[in-house]
Amino acid sequence: MKLNWNLKMWAVVAALIVVLAATGTVLANKEVEKQSISIVARVNNDGSGIFVRGDVNVDDLVTIDGGVVTYHPDGWRDMLFMSPGPSSIQHMILMDIVKKKVGLGFVQNGVPYTEPSVRWTQVAPGQMKDMMAKSKDDNLIHGGIAWEPHFANIVASGAKKVISSSQYWEDHPCCVVAVNKKYMDTHGEQVKRFLAAYVKSAIKVGDILETGIGDEYEGLIDLVVRVGAPKEGTLDRNAAKVAMANTTYTYELSNLSDELTKVAETYKGLGLFSDETLTDAGFDGVQDFIEYLIKDGPLSEVVVNDGSGPRAKTPAELSLSDNSYRVDVAYLAADTHQIALHYGIEKGYFQEYGIYVNLMGPYAAGGDVMGALLSEHANIGLVGSPPALLQSINALR
Amino acid sequence: MSGKTIIEMLNYDKNDKRHRFARRAIIAAASLVVFVLLWWNLSLLLANPAIPTPQKTWSALTYLFAHGDSVSGVTMWSHISISLRRFVYGLLLAMAVAVPLGLFLGYSETLREFTMPTLEILRPIAPIAWAPIFIFTTGYVWGPILVVFVGIFFPMLTNTMFGVKKIDPNWIDAAKTMGATRVQVFTKVMFPAAVPYVMNGLRVGMGIGWMCIVASELYASFGGGIGFFVSIMAQMGYWDYVFAGIAVIAVLGLLTITVSDYVHKFIVRRMGME
């Protein structure tokens, strides 16, 4: 007597399971290169700040004496702050301040909590002013943390400044120029051309801001008002000037390794990653991984210091051919940290170096820019260094 | 022993309930094994961090339920509870509006003809398209709830209307002949007769509603939820957590549909309308 099962079908299923298990085992033992990025230049330092509603007493939260900030936990307790999102440097700063300096828990709004805590909720910086005004009557949102120009703009609209991010960590790293690693390995010339144009633009922006007057300065502020406003007419011109003064524009990579190590240690302390992820991927630790991320070669090739200060080498000095290339560049929405990119495009610096910048975005937060870079949707991205670091670590998991 | 040979015992008897159950269980298990192996292979083949292996996803899932994540500071149970609460509020609101409205529209042809053009314009709009408007106008608390409301409202409304229209006019005439008032006709004849259709609308609507809550939380949410959890974890590149969140969404969606199917079948059977 025979079994009345469909034995052919079961034999196929069993064979499929054996084949899939075998191929999986083979693939699991194969070495693969993980997606990653390289950091080739800095974009800015500082340029963010914490604010509260106009009716909140700042002295209940912090007192500042001779540059020393003292935090008062009772004032912070149960407050609700807006953040651009957990992947942003602003979120990391607020989280670190609340947990380490204020000594309270930091929980997402809406979830039950028992320990004394500060709550956070994700709001795009461009919407923070409206959200805070909208919730004033029901006392829902007390404040937030935002990048420039939103911080200056919100304060100009009647909110109060608690501290700027430079008061939390002077000259802290913020945005960087990141390049998809595969693109970097295969399109070195394009990266060099882009970087030369970017450096030229960043130096020019720095010079204009140092002067602080004149047609070039007012022209730059016009651009800031256009780039930094989520919609036309929403960014106060004076606030734009303050925002520019609160931010340090640079391209230099010096000390970035040490500063990113500090960021990484902060993340580790906040429980956002462990050394195991790095060691499992073959790195000796945080420092080793950061050295792998930062590539100063292209920058040193395009910058020259000939006595009158550093400058970008000209296309002739770089012996560039007449070819031109398209580069897909991811950028953040309404973020004036990245103004040198927009200034360079407006002034034709990138064209001068044979680069057509195809802007990808704008993206709402640094995590999204990193997503675009790691998925090879964008070749180059201007992104906060903390999301660049954390997403690169997570890509190893 | 019953005297059956081993082969006789192993032979499939489709009239035996235990055999049918065992067959389904074995096929389901084999299907899941093949699915997990395919996933494992695909993950290794693509070597993309956004597609973690099943092992990593399982570890993330168990960790999230036990310890939670460092970003939101809460466990997966809290996110589930937040999403479910929004879902239930949206469901109750949709029932409270769609059922009475459906009964009235099914009963009154004039009212139906008057409202149908507007409803037909609104019905094809995907519920998630309303998310930015609801969130901005009503805030982050009610916004996602209203998206769920829209998702459930239309299936419930159309099914209730259909249920009323399907009532045998003789039932209503008979009730009126026996002296029933209009209110009694409405509550004693029309509503009970429409219940199986209401339940069918509920069954369809709950499936859509669950998709709506996750989608609206992905868009924006004031206070967590599974969709929001998936969104922030993706922003930070915790892809194993993202997959764990997706697995939770799949299981909860399956549970929601299973429960509504069961309730629907139970009521239809109780009312003798199979």
Side-chain angles (χ1 to χ4, degrees), chain A residues 21 67 78 81 98 148 154 158 216 274 312 323 332-333 347 355 357 389:
Chain A
D78 296 325
F81 282 86
V98 169
E148 294 291 12
I154 292 167
E216 278 191 325
S274 67
N323 295 345
L332 283 168
K347 295 294 174 190
I355 291 292
V357 176
L389 180 66

Side-chain angles (χ1 to χ4, degrees), chain A residues 22-309:
Chain A
T23 52
T25 310
V26 171
L27 288 169
N29 291 313
K30 206 176 129 196
E31 282 286 318
V32 283
E33 195 187 350
K34 305 263 185 182
Q35 278 285 3
S36 187
I37 54 132
S38 297
I39 295 172
V40 295
R42 213 189 270 252
V43 169
N44 73 295
N45 287 345
D46 304 331
S48 301
I50 300 174
F51 55 88
V52 285
R53 273 190 342 234
D55 58 322
V56 175
N57 186 6
V58 175
D59 289 342
D60 290 343
L61 304 177
V62 293
T63 41
I64 303 170
D65 187 14
V68 178
V69 184
T70 308
Y71 298 87
H72 308 300
D74 288 344
W76 289 79
R77 195 172 166 168
D78 296 325
M79 285 189 122
L80 174 56
F81 282 86
M82 297 174 286
S83 143
S87 67
S88 64
I89 183 171
Q90 291 75 20
H91 192 89
M92 185 207 82
I93 290 172
L94 185 61
M95 192 177 187
D96 195 44
I97 286 175
V98 169
K99 283 188 155 186
K100 304 263 181 67
K101 300 193 186 297
V102 181
L104 297 176
F106 190 61
V107 297
Q108 192 179 330
N109 180 57
V111 299
Y113 62 96
T114 47
E115 285 177 20
S117 297
V118 170
R119 296 166 296 145
W120 65 269
T121 188
Q122 183 173 328
V123 178
Q127 293 174 8
M128 285 182 178
K129 194 169 87 173
D130 289 345
M131 281 298 289
M132 200 164 66
K134 201 165 175 274
S135 74
K136 192 180 173 187
D137 292 339
D138 51 16
N139 196 30
L140 205 59
I141 293 170
H142 301 94
I145 182 163
W147 60 65
E148 294 291 12
H150 306 288
F151 174 55
N153 200 35
I154 292 167
V155 170
S157 71
K160 288 178 184 164
K161 171 186 164 184
V162 179
I163 54 164
S164 63
S165 57
S166 58
Q167 286 173 301
Y168 150 79
W169 175 3
E170 198 177 353
D171 289 330
H172 69 81
C174 193
C175 293
V176 292
V177 179
V179 186
N180 175 281
K181 193 170 180 306
K182 266 191 203 166
Y183 186 82
M184 176 97 171
D185 293 342
T186 54
H187 295 76
E189 187 179 340
Q190 284 89 327
V191 173
K192 203 162 73 176
R193 286 169 182 253
F194 177 89
L195 214 47
Y198 185 79
V199 168
K200 180 173 177 176
S201 187
I203 290 174
K204 183 69 184 171
V205 167
D207 289 347
I208 295 171
L209 289 174
E210 208 175 310
T211 311
I213 48 165
D215 290 345
E216 278 191 325
Y217 177 72
E218 294 303 330
L220 178 64
I221 297 302
D222 285 343
L223 180 66
V224 170
V225 169
R226 279 203 308 277
V227 169
K231 57 182 185 235
E232 205 178 324
T234 53
L235 177 59
D236 180 80
R237 196 174 173 81
N238 287 327
K241 290 179 178 177
V242 174
M244 295 304 284
N246 284 346
T247 311
T248 307
Y249 294 91
T250 179
Y251 58 87
E252 290 174 355
L253 287 168
S254 53
N255 296 329
L256 188 63
S257 175
D258 291 343
E259 289 162 3
L260 286 190
T261 302
K262 194 172 163 186
V263 171
E265 293 300 335
T266 305
Y267 271 143
K268 209 161 68 177
L270 295 169
L272 295 176
F273 81 92
S274 67
D275 279 333
E276 207 181 17
T277 308
L278 298 175
T279 49
D280 284 354
F283 294 97
D284 289 340
V286 168
Q287 189 77 40
D288 188 30
F289 181 66
I290 287 168
E291 277 163 21
Y292 162 81
L293 280 187
I294 298 174
K295 296 277 180 285
D296 57 5
L299 189 65
S300 58
E301 276 186 64
V302 302
V303 177
V304 63
N305 193 338
D306 50 11
S308 57

Side-chain angles (χ1 to χ4, degrees), chain A residues 277-359:
Chain A
T277 308
L278 298 175
T279 49
D280 284 354
F283 294 97
D284 289 340
V286 168
Q287 189 77 40
D288 188 30
F289 181 66
I290 287 168
E291 277 163 21
Y292 162 81
L293 280 187
I294 298 174
K295 296 277 180 285
D296 57 5
L299 189 65
S300 58
E301 276 186 64
V302 302
V303 177
V304 63
N305 193 338
D306 50 11
S308 57
R311 64 170 176 84
K313 285 182 185 169
T314 62
E317 285 172 322
L318 288 167
S319 309
L320 297 179
S321 65
D322 289 339
N323 295 345
S324 61
Y325 304 93
R326 189 187 98 164
V327 179
D328 296 334
V329 181
Y331 73 111
L332 283 168
D335 185 347
T336 53
H337 292 176
Q338 311 190 342
I339 202 69
L341 171 71
H342 302 282
Y343 188 81
I345 293 170
E346 191 178 77
K347 295 294 174 190
Y349 293 166
F350 291 98
Q351 275 179 319
E352 198 182 306
Y353 286 86
I355 291 292
Y356 163 64
V357 176
N358 181 38
L359 285 177

Side-chain angles (χ1 to χ4, degrees), chain A residues 1-5 10 13 16-17 20-21 23-25 27-28 32 34 80 85-87 95 107-112 120-122 127 131 134 140-141 270-273 365 367-368 390-391 394-395 397, chain B residues 5 7-8 10-12 26-27 30 33-34 37-38 40-41 44-45 47 49 56 70-72 74 78-79 82 85 135-140 221-225 228 232 234-241:
Chain A
M1 186 186 275
K2 284 163 66 177
L3 279 170
N4 64 351
W5 290 29
W10 284 107
V13 171
L16 187 62
I17 290 173
L20 287 172
T23 52
T25 310
L27 288 169
V32 283
K34 305 263 185 182
L80 174 56
S87 67
M95 192 177 187
V107 297
Q108 192 179 330
N109 180 57
V111 299
W120 65 269
T121 188
Q122 183 173 328
Q127 293 174 8
M131 281 298 289
K134 201 165 175 274
L140 205 59
I141 293 170
L270 295 169
L272 295 176
F273 81 92
D368 302 323
L390 190 61
Q391 283 240 20
N394 283 337
R397 279 152 69 99
Chain B
T5 65
I7 289 186
E8 276 173 340
L10 284 175
N11 270 340
Y12 176 63
I26 292 169
I27 290 177
V33 168
V34 171
L37 284 170
L38 275 173
W40 184 43
N41 275 265
L44 295 170
L45 198 63
K56 281 186 185 167
S70 300
V71 180
S72 62
V74 293
S78 294
H79 288 295
I82 290 161
R85 203 162 54 223
I135 286 168
F136 192 79
T137 52
T138 64
Y140 282 61
S221 174
F222 194 78
F228 185 69
I232 58 170
Q235 267 184 33
M236 301 180 75
Y238 291 104
W239 297 108
D240 46 350
Y241 286 6

